[in-house]
Amino acid sequence: MNKTLLAEFTAREGSRDEVARLILEYAEKVREEDGNLAFDVYTKASRPRAFWIFEVYRDEDAFQAHLKAPYGGPFNAALAPLIEEDASVLTFLDRVT
């Protein structure tokens, strides 16, 4: 069963461009992961500092491998001072069948 989630965070005033650069660089790496099926970056049309990332992994093991990737820690450390939240807010999703 796929592991699907929505990660949300808000760039601090004046840091939107840097956050966008960081997340797009990170997205390139995540998309190369064997178990990643989607990593799509969005901003809310009415609030361009609000980022939403839609992520899909093949299964729980692929998601756990993603969490252990060596570039995740440095990305999160660089992102933390640039966003309003303490960390990305994760919402795990289940497909309606």
Side-chain angles (χ1 to χ4, degrees):
M1 175 181 237
N2 290 351
K3 184 78 166 189
T4 304
L5 65 133
L6 180 66
E8 303 175 63
F9 52 82
T10 306
R12 292 185 187 277
E13 191 71 44
S15 65
R16 187 217 176 272
D17 290 347
E18 179 65 6
V19 169
R21 183 189 68 75
L22 285 171
I23 192 66
L24 291 174
E25 286 178 2
Y26 182 64
E28 288 180 20
K29 294 174 184 173
V30 174
R31 289 175 185 143
E32 291 177 2
E33 294 174 11
D34 182 50
N36 179 262
L37 303 178
F39 193 92
D40 300 326
V41 179
Y42 298 90
T43 58
K44 189 173 180 180
S46 62
R47 287 185 54 218
R49 291 188 301 120
F51 285 80
W52 293 0
I53 297 87
F54 179 73
E55 305 178 46
V56 182
Y57 300 89
R58 181 183 56 241
D59 53 23
E60 180 66 29
D61 289 342
F63 179 64
Q64 292 303 317
H66 162 71
L67 294 178
K68 294 174 186 166
Y71 41 83
F75 165 75
N76 286 317
L79 183 68
L82 301 175
I83 63 174
E84 294 179 356
E85 300 80 8
D86 292 335
S88 297
V89 177
L90 303 181
T91 303
F92 292 90
L93 306 171
D94 290 325
R95 181 179 299 273
V96 177
T97 57

mmCIF file of all heavy atoms in Angstrom, residues 28-48:
data_model
loop_
_atom_site.group_PDB
_atom_site.id
_atom_site.type_symbol
_atom_site.label_atom_id
_atom_site.label_comp_id
_atom_site.label_asym_id
_atom_site.label_seq_id
_atom_site.Cartn_x
_atom_site.Cartn_y
_atom_site.Cartn_z
ATOM 1 N N GLU A 28 14.384 17.450 -6.338
ATOM 2 C CA GLU A 28 15.137 16.714 -7.353
ATOM 3 C C GLU A 28 15.756 15.449 -6.763
ATOM 4 O O GLU A 28 15.728 14.388 -7.386
ATOM 5 C CB GLU A 28 16.229 17.597 -7.951
ATOM 6 C CG GLU A 28 15.703 18.693 -8.850
ATOM 7 C CD GLU A 28 16.824 19.556 -9.419
ATOM 8 O OE1 GLU A 28 17.993 19.097 -9.433
ATOM 9 O OE2 GLU A 28 16.533 20.670 -9.843
ATOM 10 N N LYS A 29 16.298 15.557 -5.556
ATOM 11 C CA LYS A 29 16.918 14.399 -4.904
ATOM 12 C C LYS A 29 15.867 13.364 -4.513
ATOM 13 O O LYS A 29 16.061 12.162 -4.719
ATOM 14 C CB LYS A 29 17.702 14.856 -3.681
ATOM 15 C CG LYS A 29 18.882 15.722 -4.042
ATOM 16 C CD LYS A 29 19.544 16.279 -2.801
ATOM 17 C CE LYS A 29 20.669 17.212 -3.201
ATOM 18 N NZ LYS A 29 21.243 17.913 -2.059
ATOM 19 N N VAL A 30 14.764 13.823 -3.927
ATOM 20 C CA VAL A 30 13.727 12.895 -3.473
ATOM 21 C C VAL A 30 13.132 12.137 -4.657
ATOM 22 O O VAL A 30 12.882 10.932 -4.567
ATOM 23 C CB VAL A 30 12.623 13.638 -2.693
ATOM 24 C CG1 VAL A 30 11.477 12.701 -2.340
ATOM 25 C CG2 VAL A 30 13.197 14.273 -1.428
ATOM 26 N N ARG A 31 12.925 12.817 -5.755
ATOM 27 C CA ARG A 31 12.335 12.164 -6.935
ATOM 28 C C ARG A 31 13.220 11.063 -7.488
ATOM 29 O O ARG A 31 12.733 10.196 -8.227
ATOM 30 C CB ARG A 31 12.045 13.207 -8.009
ATOM 31 C CG ARG A 31 10.898 14.116 -7.643
ATOM 32 C CD ARG A 31 10.701 15.209 -8.672
ATOM 33 N NE ARG A 31 9.669 16.132 -8.254
ATOM 34 C CZ ARG A 31 9.723 17.446 -8.466
ATOM 35 N NH1 ARG A 31 10.745 17.981 -9.104
ATOM 36 N NH2 ARG A 31 8.738 18.213 -8.046
ATOM 37 N N GLU A 32 14.504 11.078 -7.152
ATOM 38 C CA GLU A 32 15.422 10.033 -7.612
ATOM 39 C C GLU A 32 15.404 8.801 -6.699
ATOM 40 O O GLU A 32 15.959 7.768 -7.063
ATOM 41 C CB GLU A 32 16.844 10.592 -7.700
ATOM 42 C CG GLU A 32 17.009 11.614 -8.807
ATOM 43 C CD GLU A 32 18.402 12.209 -8.844
ATOM 44 O OE1 GLU A 32 19.267 11.808 -8.031
ATOM 45 O OE2 GLU A 32 18.632 13.082 -9.689
ATOM 46 N N GLU A 33 14.771 8.902 -5.538
ATOM 47 C CA GLU A 33 14.693 7.763 -4.630
ATOM 48 C C GLU A 33 13.910 6.631 -5.278
ATOM 49 O O GLU A 33 12.865 6.870 -5.901
ATOM 50 C CB GLU A 33 14.013 8.174 -3.315
ATOM 51 C CG GLU A 33 14.815 9.165 -2.507
ATOM 52 C CD GLU A 33 14.065 9.678 -1.282
ATOM 53 O OE1 GLU A 33 12.999 9.122 -0.929
ATOM 54 O OE2 GLU A 33 14.555 10.648 -0.686
ATOM 55 N N ASP A 34 14.393 5.428 -5.092
ATOM 56 C CA ASP A 34 13.769 4.257 -5.702
ATOM 57 C C ASP A 34 12.288 4.130 -5.346
ATOM 58 O O ASP A 34 11.478 3.802 -6.203
ATOM 59 C CB ASP A 34 14.526 2.999 -5.274
ATOM 60 C CG ASP A 34 13.957 1.756 -5.911
ATOM 61 O OD1 ASP A 34 13.781 1.747 -7.147
ATOM 62 O OD2 ASP A 34 13.667 0.800 -5.167
ATOM 63 N N GLY A 35 11.923 4.418 -4.106
ATOM 64 C CA GLY A 35 10.545 4.226 -3.669
ATOM 65 C C GLY A 35 9.649 5.443 -3.769
ATOM 66 O O GLY A 35 8.484 5.386 -3.385
ATOM 67 N N ASN A 36 10.162 6.553 -4.296
ATOM 68 C CA ASN A 36 9.333 7.747 -4.422
ATOM 69 C C ASN A 36 8.514 7.686 -5.704
ATOM 70 O O ASN A 36 9.040 7.446 -6.790
ATOM 71 C CB ASN A 36 10.187 9.015 -4.425
ATOM 72 C CG ASN A 36 9.340 10.256 -4.587
ATOM 73 O OD1 ASN A 36 9.199 10.787 -5.678
ATOM 74 N ND2 ASN A 36 8.749 10.685 -3.497
ATOM 75 N N LEU A 37 7.203 7.919 -5.583
ATOM 76 C CA LEU A 37 6.305 7.925 -6.741
ATOM 77 C C LEU A 37 5.862 9.330 -7.116
ATOM 78 O O LEU A 37 5.481 9.577 -8.256
ATOM 79 C CB LEU A 37 5.079 7.057 -6.445
ATOM 80 C CG LEU A 37 5.368 5.600 -6.064
ATOM 81 C CD1 LEU A 37 4.080 4.867 -5.741
ATOM 82 C CD2 LEU A 37 6.151 4.902 -7.166
ATOM 83 N N ALA A 38 5.907 10.255 -6.156
ATOM 84 C CA ALA A 38 5.535 11.649 -6.433
ATOM 85 C C ALA A 38 6.104 12.552 -5.344
ATOM 86 O O ALA A 38 6.135 12.169 -4.171
ATOM 87 C CB ALA A 38 4.019 11.812 -6.488
ATOM 88 N N PHE A 39 6.547 13.717 -5.746
ATOM 89 C CA PHE A 39 6.991 14.756 -4.815
ATOM 90 C C PHE A 39 6.715 16.074 -5.533
ATOM 91 O O PHE A 39 7.545 16.576 -6.290
ATOM 92 C CB PHE A 39 8.475 14.611 -4.472
ATOM 93 C CG PHE A 39 8.896 15.446 -3.298
ATOM 94 C CD1 PHE A 39 8.885 14.923 -2.017
ATOM 95 C CD2 PHE A 39 9.298 16.757 -3.477
ATOM 96 C CE1 PHE A 39 9.282 15.693 -0.928
ATOM 97 C CE2 PHE A 39 9.690 17.534 -2.404
ATOM 98 C CZ PHE A 39 9.688 17.004 -1.128
ATOM 99 N N ASP A 40 5.509 16.572 -5.358
ATOM 100 C CA ASP A 40 5.028 17.746 -6.095
ATOM 101 C C ASP A 40 4.930 18.942 -5.156
ATOM 102 O O ASP A 40 4.282 18.863 -4.111
ATOM 103 C CB ASP A 40 3.662 17.463 -6.719
ATOM 104 C CG ASP A 40 3.705 16.299 -7.695
ATOM 105 O OD1 ASP A 40 4.741 16.120 -8.368
ATOM 106 O OD2 ASP A 40 2.720 15.557 -7.771
ATOM 107 N N VAL A 41 5.559 20.034 -5.536
ATOM 108 C CA VAL A 41 5.639 21.233 -4.706
ATOM 109 C C VAL A 41 4.642 22.265 -5.212
ATOM 110 O O VAL A 41 4.622 22.592 -6.405
ATOM 111 C CB VAL A 41 7.066 21.813 -4.732
ATOM 112 C CG1 VAL A 41 7.156 23.071 -3.882
ATOM 113 C CG2 VAL A 41 8.080 20.766 -4.281
ATOM 114 N N TYR A 42 3.835 22.795 -4.281
ATOM 115 C CA TYR A 42 2.826 23.804 -4.601
ATOM 116 C C TYR A 42 2.910 24.954 -3.608
ATOM 117 O O TYR A 42 3.398 24.786 -2.496
ATOM 118 C CB TYR A 42 1.410 23.217 -4.483
ATOM 119 C CG TYR A 42 1.122 22.083 -5.418
ATOM 120 C CD1 TYR A 42 1.380 20.769 -5.038
ATOM 121 C CD2 TYR A 42 0.582 22.321 -6.674
ATOM 122 C CE1 TYR A 42 1.110 19.719 -5.898
ATOM 123 C CE2 TYR A 42 0.308 21.272 -7.536
ATOM 124 C CZ TYR A 42 0.578 19.973 -7.144
ATOM 125 O OH TYR A 42 0.305 18.929 -7.994
ATOM 126 N N THR A 43 2.390 26.095 -4.023
ATOM 127 C CA THR A 43 2.086 27.168 -3.087
ATOM 128 C C THR A 43 0.601 27.464 -3.235
ATOM 129 O O THR A 43 -0.002 27.212 -4.285
ATOM 130 C CB THR A 43 2.884 28.466 -3.349
ATOM 131 O OG1 THR A 43 2.632 28.917 -4.669
ATOM 132 C CG2 THR A 43 4.367 28.243 -3.148
ATOM 133 N N LYS A 44 0.027 27.979 -2.174
ATOM 134 C CA LYS A 44 -1.388 28.335 -2.191
ATOM 135 C C LYS A 44 -1.542 29.611 -3.014
ATOM 136 O O LYS A 44 -0.839 30.597 -2.764
ATOM 137 C CB LYS A 44 -1.885 28.532 -0.762
ATOM 138 C CG LYS A 44 -3.370 28.694 -0.648
ATOM 139 C CD LYS A 44 -3.789 28.708 0.809
ATOM 140 C CE LYS A 44 -5.286 28.874 0.931
ATOM 141 N NZ LYS A 44 -5.713 28.890 2.331
ATOM 142 N N ALA A 45 -2.438 29.611 -3.982
ATOM 143 C CA ALA A 45 -2.592 30.755 -4.887
ATOM 144 C C ALA A 45 -2.833 32.059 -4.137
ATOM 145 O O ALA A 45 -2.290 33.110 -4.507
ATOM 146 C CB ALA A 45 -3.720 30.492 -5.886
ATOM 147 N N SER A 46 -3.615 32.013 -3.079
ATOM 148 C CA SER A 46 -3.941 33.233 -2.340
ATOM 149 C C SER A 46 -2.906 33.577 -1.259
ATOM 150 O O SER A 46 -2.972 34.645 -0.655
ATOM 151 C CB SER A 46 -5.329 33.112 -1.698
ATOM 152 O OG SER A 46 -5.343 32.050 -0.769
ATOM 153 N N ARG A 47 -1.969 32.645 -0.995
ATOM 154 C CA ARG A 47 -0.915 32.861 0.014
ATOM 155 C C ARG A 47 0.385 32.248 -0.501
ATOM 156 O O ARG A 47 0.736 31.128 -0.144
ATOM 157 C CB ARG A 47 -1.288 32.205 1.347
ATOM 158 C CG ARG A 47 -2.376 32.923 2.101
ATOM 159 C CD ARG A 47 -2.627 32.315 3.484
ATOM 160 N NE ARG A 47 -1.405 32.235 4.279
ATOM 161 C CZ ARG A 47 -1.120 31.215 5.089
ATOM 162 N NH1 ARG A 47 -1.932 30.201 5.224
ATOM 163 N NH2 ARG A 47 -0.011 31.221 5.792
ATOM 164 N N PRO A 48 1.114 32.959 -1.352
ATOM 165 C CA PRO A 48 2.283 32.364 -2.005
ATOM 166 C C PRO A 48 3.423 31.968 -1.060
ATOM 167 O O PRO A 48 4.330 31.260 -1.471
ATOM 168 C CB PRO A 48 2.732 33.425 -2.995
ATOM 169 C CG PRO A 48 2.068 34.686 -2.576
ATOM 170 C CD PRO A 48 0.840 34.309 -1.816
#
